[in-house]
């Protein structure tokens, strides 16, 4: 599982271009015309980095080795669903690459980015569908199917992606309560309510059939939910599914509460720390575009430390559930 790499290398957020880095490849599916799905596939590698993935003027990318040789044997599968409605492609690359170097095949989902609030409404049930679909596609693929241990399938989600992860683990959603989530004073109010309101969109316009159709995926054996959105409208997950909740910030600040699941709290973090480390110019670019420069956090060093702690917690949990 460790492939000769030290823990430091396995959990490095941005390894040097001269150091070993996770392998990366891509799988695209256009069978659903209105929702094409792009998947970044990460896996263990001891080859030197040859590319940078997920970088842009605001966020630093992650070193990777394109089409590196795959290690022998089938490995557990981990699906990563980043939660930001308007997140860039490969926003979770910092975590996906670290998990891969610990001995897993990691599929990071990059679905279509909603152009407006009306389109984004149905992400609440489309994200779980993306997870089901990704597992189908990878297991059926001639190249990747034989490389996956189908008995060990986990999902890691951030924010709305965490809500999706809990859904595929069997957590039922109270549809009526969800539809009221943006009402003033609602316990289940979500972080995008202001964005919806500014565009004259209400959650009552969400496809009730889509939300009601959310269902557990029996192939998923464990889930990791990082600051799930709308936690007050979700029921318990299936008893046979292992679960870890990670709170970037206190559980109360993250919208959590008393949960029976195993949990890890990183009190000095925030949900913004689910994003990559910012470039030196990142805060100024965000400010110039009327964005929120606090997305970049306190400092690059602080965010790297939070990423390291998060990756350690995720990998430790995965190992406990993939032995």
């Amino acid at each position: 599982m460790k492939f000769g790499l030290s823990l430091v290398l396995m959990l490095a957020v941005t390894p040097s271009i001269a150091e070993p880095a996770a392998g990366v490849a891509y799988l695209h599916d256009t069978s659903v015309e209105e929702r094409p799905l792009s998947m970044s596939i990460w896996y263990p590698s001891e080859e030197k980095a040859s590319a940078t993935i997920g970088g842009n003027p605001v966020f630093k990318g992650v070193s990777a080795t394109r089409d590196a040789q795959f290690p022998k044997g089938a490995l557990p599968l981990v699906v990563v669903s980043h939660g930001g409605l308007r997140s860039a492609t490969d926003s979770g690359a910092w975590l996906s690459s670290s998990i891969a170097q610990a001995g897993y095949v990691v599929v990071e989902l990059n679905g279509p980015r909603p152009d407006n609030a009306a389109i984004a409404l149905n992400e609440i049930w489309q994200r779980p569908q993306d997870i089901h679909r990704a597992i189908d596609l990878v297991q059926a693929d001639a190249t990747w199917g034989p490389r996956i241990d189908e008995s060990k399938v986990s999902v890691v989600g951030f924010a709305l992606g965490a809500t999706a992860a809990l859904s595929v683990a069997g957590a039922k959603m109270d549809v009526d309560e969800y539809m009221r989530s943006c009402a003033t004073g609602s316990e289940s109010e979500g972080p995008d309510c202001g964005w919806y309101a500014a565009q004259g969109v209400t959650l009552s316009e969400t496809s009730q059939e889509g939300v009601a159709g959310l269902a557990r995926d029996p192939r998923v054996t464990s889930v990791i939910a990082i600051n799930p959105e709308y936690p007050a409208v979700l029921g318990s997950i299936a008893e046979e599914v292992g679960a870890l909740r990670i709170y970037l910030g206190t559980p109360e600040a993250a919208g959590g509460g008393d949960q029976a699941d195993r949990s890890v709290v990183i009190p000095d973090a925030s949900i913004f720390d689910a994003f990559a480390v910012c470039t030196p110019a990142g805060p100024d670019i965000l400010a110039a575009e009327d964005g929120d420069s606090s997305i970049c956090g306190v400092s690059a060093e602080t965010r790297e430390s939070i990423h390291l702690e998060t990756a350690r917690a995720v990998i430790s949990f995965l190992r406990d559930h993939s032995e």
Side-chain angles (χ1 to χ4, degrees), residues 16 24 47 95 125 194 198 288 298 315 317:
S16 163
V24 66
E47 297 180 31
L95 181 58
W125 57 269
V298 176
I315 292 168
F317 176 82

Side-chain angles (χ1 to χ4, degrees), residues 15-22 45-52 63-66:
S16 163
I17 204 72
E19 293 177 344
S45 165
E46 291 190 1
E47 297 180 31
K48 292 181 179 179
S50 61
T52 301
S63 295
T65 307
R66 287 187 181 274

Side-chain angles (χ1 to χ4, degrees), residues 71-281:
K72 293 181 180 180
L75 300 176
L77 172 65
V78 180
V79 178
V80 172
S81 176
H82 202 281
L85 282 178
R86 289 150 283 172
S87 297
T89 297
D90 290 319
S91 292
W94 62 269
L95 181 58
S96 297
S97 61
S98 295
I99 297 172
Q101 285 295 67
Y104 300 82
V105 173
V106 182
V107 176
E108 182 169 351
L109 303 181
N110 293 300
R113 185 179 181 182
D115 292 329
N116 55 61
I119 294 175
L121 275 178
N122 290 316
E123 292 291 308
I124 188 70
W125 57 269
Q126 288 175 324
R127 297 288 178 99
Q129 284 191 345
D130 289 346
I131 294 172
H132 295 298
R133 184 174 156 201
I135 297 172
D136 288 341
L137 291 166
V138 174
Q139 290 186 344
D141 187 79
T143 297
W144 295 103
R147 297 173 173 177
I148 300 299
D149 182 344
E150 295 188 3
S151 69
K152 299 171 182 177
V153 178
S154 303
V155 179
V156 180
F158 298 90
L160 195 62
T163 305
L166 295 172
S167 173
V168 300
K172 297 292 185 182
M173 177 176 284
D174 184 326
V175 178
D176 292 337
E177 182 61 29
Y178 172 73
M179 296 297 182
R180 294 191 293 267
S181 292
C182 284
T184 303
S186 170
E187 284 185 4
S188 54
E189 185 168 344
D192 296 301
C193 290
W195 184 56
Y196 290 136
Q199 296 190 35
V201 172
T202 66
L203 290 185
S204 63
E205 299 170 63
T206 307
S207 168
Q208 294 196 28
E209 182 180 0
V211 175
L214 294 172
R216 165 161 158 38
D217 191 318
R219 297 168 295 186
V220 174
T221 55
S222 66
V223 294
I224 298 165
I226 303 173
N227 289 51
E229 294 181 11
Y230 307 104
V233 307
L234 294 175
S236 300
I237 66 170
E239 291 184 1
E240 64 271 24
V241 180
L244 170 68
R245 294 188 189 232
I246 298 179
Y247 296 105
L248 301 177
T250 64
E252 293 74 22
D258 294 332
Q259 302 292 344
D261 311 311
R262 177 172 160 183
S263 63
V264 170
V265 177
I266 305 178
D268 296 328
S270 79
I271 188 57
F272 291 150
D273 292 308
F275 291 104
V277 175
C278 283
T279 65

